[in-house]
């Protein structure tokens, strides 16, 4: 596996902006707009429908799938099962965000049902991932002040970001959508996810000085995601990539 460098991150961002990958999101109703905006401004094309009659068609035309458990009901669970089956059948990258699985045993059980189907990535915050535990063979991401990415013996830490991100609902969900967009153009999921989190973190750092509080930060964050470029990444990326000895 090649080293994940700021130069590699900049290259992947350019590929996302050039390829315009389609990302279908089966997600909660709380932050659909914010997540869709995040995917759009980074260069992707989001879609969000969860209707049982359409979900297989939408996922079948997408380049990547995000599955987010934030607001679950019977129809959403069925839509997720249908969408995941299509993504797996087509070999598309897909990411699971087990939002608030630490609040609900039935949600945790559903998250585990999905993890047993081998998603490309499982991403959550510290509390959620403490319950999910280890995910052998699956890229495991714990976000927070420093994002921790682990796949087998390889691990990456991304030091970029800003505390405002923890004061805005949806930054985790949005990061899942951006990770999906990067996975659509980069087959190495660890590199793609590390690049996505570097870009969102650097964008947040650029946005913060323009914010008067969490509300204006959210808007400034989207503005920064739309314009973050090579120079920002090359000057500010904070990536630590620990590779197994034998690689
Ligand atoms: N204190 C912080 N400092 C810098 N970045 C943060 C901080 N808290 C969260 N982030 C960033 O905000 C995003 C959401 O992370 P997190 O809050 O862990 O997820 P969630 O929103 O799902 O709870 C991630 O990209 C993470 O890097
Ligand atoms: C508050 C809430 N409740 C169900 S989904 C959701 C949004 C969570 O967004 P994030 O995990 O990105 O902060
Ligand atoms: Mg979350």
């Amino acid at each position: 596996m090649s080293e994940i460098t700021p130069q590699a991150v900049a290259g992947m961002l350019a590929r996302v902006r050039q390829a315009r990958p389609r990302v279908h999101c089966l997600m909660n109703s709380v932050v659909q707009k914010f997540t869709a905006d995040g995917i759009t401004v980074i260069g992707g094309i989001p879609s969000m429908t969860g209707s049982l009659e359409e979900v297989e068609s939408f996922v079948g035309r997408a380049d990547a799938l995000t599955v987010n458990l934030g607001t679950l009901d019977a129809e959403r669970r069925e839509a997720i099962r249908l969408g995941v089956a299509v993504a797996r059948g087509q070999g598309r990258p897909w990411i699971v965000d087990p939002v608030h699985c630490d609040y609900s045993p039935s949600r945790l059980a559903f998250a585990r049902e999905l993890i047993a189907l081998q998603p490309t990535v499982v991403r959550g915050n510290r509390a959620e991932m403490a319950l999910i535990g280890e995910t052998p063979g699956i890229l495991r991401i714990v976000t927070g002040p420093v994002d921790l990415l682990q796949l087998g013996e390889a691990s990456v830490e991304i030091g970029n970001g800003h505390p405002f991100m923890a004061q805005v609902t949806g930054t985790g969900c949005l990061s899942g959508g951006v990770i999906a967009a990067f996975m659509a153009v980069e087959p190495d999921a660890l590199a793609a996810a590390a690049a996505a989190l570097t870009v969102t973190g650097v964008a947040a750092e650029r946005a913060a000085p323009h914010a008067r509080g969490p509300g204006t930060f959210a808007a400034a964050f989207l503005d920064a995601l739309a314009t973050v470029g090579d120079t920002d990444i090359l000057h500010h990326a904070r990536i630590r990539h620990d590779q197994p000895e034998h690689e």
Side-chain angles (χ1 to χ4, degrees):
M1 173 188 299
S2 51
E3 191 189 352
I4 300 167
T5 62
Q7 292 78 4
V9 170
M12 283 181 259
L13 175 58
R15 278 189 269 149
V16 169
R17 286 174 171 162
Q18 190 277 323
R20 306 294 316 281
R22 289 178 292 186
V23 176
H24 192 65
C25 304
L26 294 173
M27 70 176 293
N28 67 72
S29 55
V30 177
V31 290
Q32 282 184 337
K33 170 88 168 70
F34 189 52
T35 299
D37 285 344
I39 294 168
T40 297
V41 296
I42 204 71
I45 301 172
S47 55
M48 294 272 165
T49 186
S51 76
L52 296 182
E53 63 176 309
E54 293 182 304
V55 63
E56 290 168 296
S57 177
F58 270 78
V59 176
R61 285 165 176 73
D63 300 299
L65 171 67
T66 73
V67 174
N68 178 297
L69 306 188
T71 47
L72 273 184
D73 53 34
E75 180 163 348
R76 267 196 171 90
R77 287 173 188 260
E78 189 51 31
I80 287 170
R81 291 186 177 106
L82 291 170
V84 165
V86 171
R88 295 180 76 225
Q90 291 186 346
R92 299 276 192 235
W94 59 292
I95 177 171
V96 173
D97 183 340
V99 182
H100 289 332
C101 65
D102 47 329
Y103 286 37
S104 156
S106 71
R107 182 170 298 189
L108 181 59
F110 188 52
R112 289 192 168 132
E113 175 189 325
L114 296 173
I115 291 168
L117 298 174
Q118 295 290 306
T120 317
V121 178
V122 179
R123 183 224 69 94
N125 62 36
R126 210 175 295 173
E128 293 154 351
M129 296 307 286
L131 277 182
I132 293 293
E134 297 304 313
T135 58
I138 299 170
L139 175 53
R140 184 177 190 275
I141 301 176
V142 183
T143 51
V146 176
D147 296 330
L148 309 176
L149 298 81
Q150 291 167 298
L151 179 59
E153 293 175 25
S155 66
V156 179
E157 291 183 3
I158 306 296
N160 295 101
H162 191 277
F164 267 144
M165 298 173 89
Q167 298 176 41
V168 174
T169 301
T171 51
C173 297
L174 181 150
S175 75
V178 174
I179 288 169
F182 275 72
M183 289 198 296
V185 303
E186 171 52 57
D188 178 339
L190 180 58
L197 291 171
T198 300
V199 168
T200 55
V202 169
E205 291 167 11
R206 278 190 59 204
H210 303 283
R212 294 184 306 282
T216 46
F217 171 76
F221 180 43
L222 291 175
D223 289 345
L225 278 173
T227 57
V228 63
D230 290 4
T231 306
D232 303 301
I233 294 165
L234 298 179
H235 286 178
H236 300 293
R238 293 200 297 279
I239 305 166
R240 181 181 158 185
H241 184 188
D242 296 325
Q243 301 187 71
E245 291 301 318
H246 51 74
E247 283 199 356

